């Protein structure tokens, strides 16, 4: 499906759609989630460069905007990065602030369950922007029968991946075997070198977010061919 981008002739409407999705997601959550999303929306509406997907603002400025101390800024920005909503495009150095970006596809995936709260017209409009990787018609993914659910972090990550996109899960994630965790790195075993290479190239971010949410102590993923 076509992915939403807040650029072009309909940029203004797309921006409202993204912010509406975030709003609906926040209102359905608890007070902590509502506060975090509100703070991110404040950054988006005041400092975010939609055209370049860049957010460059220092912690002191953020603290002033949010009316909090810098320790709170560090904590909440870390939560946003861990969720996958914010990514680091360029790390700050020598007095320069980091340049951040928004992962709009990740935001749409996480907010999708609450779109219906806005209304059926919104759901119908957003259906064409639902973030799912385009099907690769040149290759046929290796398929295996469903394997028994793994234990631990990979089990929870599998459940999230399946709930986000069942077809994608069945094609690329279901056959991955849990190779264990080594020094904060989850090892996943793919059925072939091609399968492993495809995951590393096209779907590693999706895997990384799901695993991080399952176990925040896991910072890396290594995909090996079985």
């Amino acid at each position: 499906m076509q992915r939403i981008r807040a650029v072009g002739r309909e940029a203004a409407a797309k921006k409202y759609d993204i912010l509406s999705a975030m709003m609906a997601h926040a209102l359905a959550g608890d007070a902590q989630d509502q506060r975090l999303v509100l703070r991110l929306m404040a950054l988006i509406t005041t400092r975010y460069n939609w055209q370049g997907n860049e957010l460059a603002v220092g912690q002191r400025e953020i603290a002033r905007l949010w009316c909090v101390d810098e320790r709170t800024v560090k904590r909440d920005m870390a939560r946003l990065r861990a969720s996958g909503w914010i990514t680091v495009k360029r790390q700050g150095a020598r007095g320069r602030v980091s340049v951040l970006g928004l992962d709009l596809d990740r935001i749409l995936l996480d907010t999708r369950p609450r779109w219906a709260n806005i209304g059926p017209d919104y759901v119908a409009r957003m259906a064409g922007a639902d973030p799912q990787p385009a099907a690769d018609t040149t290759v046929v993914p290796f398929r295996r029968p469903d394997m028994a659910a793994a234990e631990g972090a990979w089990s929870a990550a599998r459940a999230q991946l399946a709930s986000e996109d069942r077809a994608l899960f069945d094609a690329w994630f279901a056959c991955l075997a849990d190779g264990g965790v080594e020094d904060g790195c989850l090892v996943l075993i793919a059925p072939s070198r091609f399968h492993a290479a495809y995951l590393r190239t096209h779907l590693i971010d999706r895997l990384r977010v799901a695993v991080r949410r399952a176990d925040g102590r896991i910072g890396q993923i290594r995909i090996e061919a079985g």
Side-chain angles (χ1 to χ4, degrees), residues 14-108:
K14 293 175 182 178
K15 293 174 185 178
Y16 278 116
D17 282 341
I18 293 169
L19 292 172
S20 295
M22 296 172 64
M23 174 196 64
H25 174 80
L27 291 174
D30 58 25
Q32 189 176 37
D33 288 338
Q34 290 175 7
R35 185 166 54 247
L36 183 65
V37 175
L38 174 62
R39 287 171 175 171
L40 177 58
M41 292 175 70
L43 284 178
I44 292 173
T45 55
T46 60
R47 289 290 184 264
Y48 179 59
N49 181 336
W50 290 92
Q51 187 72 30
N53 185 24
E54 292 186 349
L55 177 63
V57 56
Q59 291 183 354
R60 184 177 301 176
E61 294 174 276
I62 297 175
R64 183 171 62 247
L65 174 64
W66 289 357
C67 300
V68 298
D69 56 34
E70 292 186 38
R71 183 166 55 183
T72 299
V73 172
K74 291 180 181 179
R75 182 196 65 208
D76 281 4
M77 294 301 284
R79 287 183 60 199
L80 290 167
R81 289 194 300 272
S83 71
W85 284 30
I86 280 183
T87 61
V88 179
K89 300 182 69 173
R90 291 193 298 276
Q91 191 68 48
R94 296 185 179 181
R96 295 186 177 181
V97 301
S98 297
V99 177
L100 308 175
L102 296 182
D103 188 336
L104 298 181
D105 294 336
R106 182 75 256 169
I107 290 173
L108 292 181

